[in-house]
Amino acid sequence: MSDTLLSLGPFQGITDAPFRNVFKRHFGGIDKFYTPFFTGIHKEEHAKNLQGEEIDPKCNDVATLTPQILSTDAEEILRFAKQCKQLGYTEINLNMGCPFPRVANKKRGCGLLPYPDMMKAMFEKVFEEIDIKFSVKCRLGYFSPEEIDAIIPIFNQFPLSELIIHPRIGKQLYKGEADVERFKALMPYINAPLVYNGDIFSVESFGRIRGIINGSPSSLRQAQGSRSEVNQFMLGRGILANPFLAEEIKGGTFNAPERTARLHSYVIDLYEDRLHHAGGSPKVLGRMKELWSYLMYSFEEPQVIWRKIKKINALKEYEEAVEAVFRV
């Protein structure tokens, strides 16, 4: 599927710069990456949290990375955009999709979706000054999937570089199924380049979702002359569980010994890289275990694998457990 563009969605605590760089050394298929969200861009120049390796061009491929911000403050978004541009980035992304109550209750992430007037005022201020591409990641709503109906006309007023939609509501978190049919129904009404995100866990699920979205054009689409298909997809939990997924979607096939060897090398490389960055601190175990809570599904007996990893509190124990996993 050479015409398919795949991105890796951001996960706080997992898909940071060390993860992205190690992933790219071991796996292909991903065309675009996003940073986990930044907040608190308080200074006009050189905000402290924009000085680390997470966004440093020397530690990242600027051409394939889009920094993401979580904010409802137009001035903060503009400060972020300005500083990202100075670092060489060409696009920023606004997180309007985070569903967790501690975020949403402050009208941030998808907690902003029930307030279209507030959103419009923010966008008006941003687009008065911004001189870098600006994209949005959102859900169908926070309380209701109908909330997006009032939001799409606002999105269409502004030159978004892309709109990524995860077709769930915030209150669902990640429960239930993504509403692919609802995403399809929205397609004719959206002006921005559109990206689908949600429930792509395998080549089969990708094919099913792509088939629903890009099936025979409806009479409505033909009448409106709108896009007939979407060819950009964001992968999330599926690629954390199966790092080969993007390559497989693009036609790659791998035998069992090759998969095991590459996966083992990837896990060791990421652990050693994190350990180096943390100065040997056991705190790396938290992030490695967070990844393993997904990666266990790369194995035939995931719960057996997870039991080997989840209670470990010492580096030596972790190293021995990983070796035991790959000896099986």
Side-chain angles (χ1 to χ4, degrees):
M1 297 185 184
S2 58
D3 64 331
T4 300
L5 298 176
L6 300 176
S7 58
L8 176 60
F11 282 79
Q12 293 298 119
I14 299 181
T15 60
D16 55 5
F19 174 91
R20 295 190 300 267
N21 291 328
V22 171
F23 184 92
K24 284 188 285 186
R25 287 201 293 269
H26 292 270
F27 301 101
I30 293 295
D31 302 291
K32 189 174 185 178
F33 296 80
Y34 296 78
T35 69
F37 63 73
F38 288 87
T39 60
I41 313 301
H42 297 303
K43 296 182 179 179
E44 184 64 29
E45 300 287 345
H46 309 302
K48 190 174 183 180
N49 57 350
L50 294 182
Q51 296 179 37
E53 68 176 3
E54 180 59 23
I55 201 166
D56 187 336
K58 292 191 286 293
C59 304
N60 294 280
D61 179 1
V62 172
T64 61
L65 181 64
T66 294
Q68 184 184 82
I69 186 169
L70 178 75
S71 180
T72 56
D73 180 348
E75 295 301 325
E76 181 182 31
I77 292 169
L78 289 168
R79 287 194 295 272
F80 182 69
K82 180 179 179 181
Q83 293 181 57
C84 287
K85 184 179 180 181
Q86 289 173 346
L87 291 169
Y89 294 93
T90 60
E91 179 184 53
I92 64 167
N93 178 264
L94 176 64
N95 182 326
M96 288 173 50
C98 181
F100 296 108
R102 68 179 181 274
V103 170
N105 289 342
K106 298 177 182 177
K107 298 181 182 178
R108 301 202 297 177
C110 68
L112 180 60
L113 299 177
Y115 305 97
D117 291 343
M118 181 177 172
M119 185 192 312
K120 182 179 179 182
M122 178 184 71
F123 274 44
E124 286 174 344
K125 290 181 181 178
V126 166
F127 279 96
E128 281 178 3
E129 298 184 36
I130 198 165
D131 59 354
I132 188 173
K133 290 193 289 186
F134 182 79
S135 64
V136 170
K137 184 177 188 294
C138 73
R139 291 192 172 213
L140 298 176
Y142 184 57
F143 299 106
S144 162
E146 281 69 48
E147 287 168 13
I148 199 166
D149 294 335
I151 297 166
I152 288 175
I154 297 172
F155 288 151
N156 287 344
Q157 291 179 38
F158 302 96
L160 299 179
S161 56
E162 67 180 13
L163 177 61
I164 306 159
I165 298 180
H166 180 116
R168 280 184 172 87
I169 61 169
K171 283 292 187 178
Q172 282 183 269
L173 298 178
Y174 292 94
K175 297 174 184 176
E177 295 184 356
D179 191 345
V180 185
E181 292 285 358
R182 178 74 166 129
F183 179 95
K184 178 180 179 178
L186 295 172
M187 287 170 53
Y189 303 100
I190 295 170
N191 294 341
L194 192 54
V195 183
Y196 174 87
N197 169 231
D199 289 5
I200 299 175
F201 297 115
S202 63
V203 174
E204 292 72 24
S205 61
F206 173 79
R208 179 183 62 81
I209 289 168
R210 181 173 176 137
I212 292 172
I213 292 172
N214 294 338
S216 298
S218 68
S219 58
L220 176 62
R221 268 189 222 137
Q222 290 173 332
Q224 293 192 353
S226 302
R227 67 167 59 84
S228 61
E229 65 176 31
V230 167
N231 70 348
Q232 298 185 69
F233 297 83
M234 175 178 278
L235 306 181
R237 293 170 292 163
I239 203 163
L240 297 183
N242 172 19
F244 295 89
L245 181 57
E247 291 182 69
E248 290 172 339
I249 286 172
K250 292 189 175 181
T253 57
F254 314 97
N255 60 37
E258 180 183 2
R259 290 179 72 94
T260 300
R262 285 177 64 185
L263 200 59
H264 190 188
S265 178
Y266 160 67
V267 168
I268 296 299
D269 195 5
L270 181 58
Y271 170 69
E272 291 179 348
D273 198 61
R274 287 207 183 283
L275 201 60
H276 171 74
H277 282 83
S281 170
K283 70 181 183 181
V284 302
L285 294 178
R287 291 202 168 186
M288 293 307 300
K289 285 195 278 189
E290 203 167 355
L291 176 61
W292 273 102
S293 71
Y294 296 97
L295 193 61
M296 64 181 182
Y297 295 104
S298 281
F299 300 84
E300 289 186 3
E301 298 182 286
Q303 294 305 324
V304 172
I305 300 301
W306 183 230
R307 283 197 292 272
K308 293 178 185 293
I309 301 289
K310 68 178 181 178
K311 293 183 179 179
I312 287 170
N313 293 306
L315 296 175
K316 184 66 173 174
E317 291 177 5
Y318 173 80
E319 293 162 9
E320 291 172 351
V322 168
E323 292 311 306
V325 165
F326 284 97
R327 279 200 303 271
V328 173

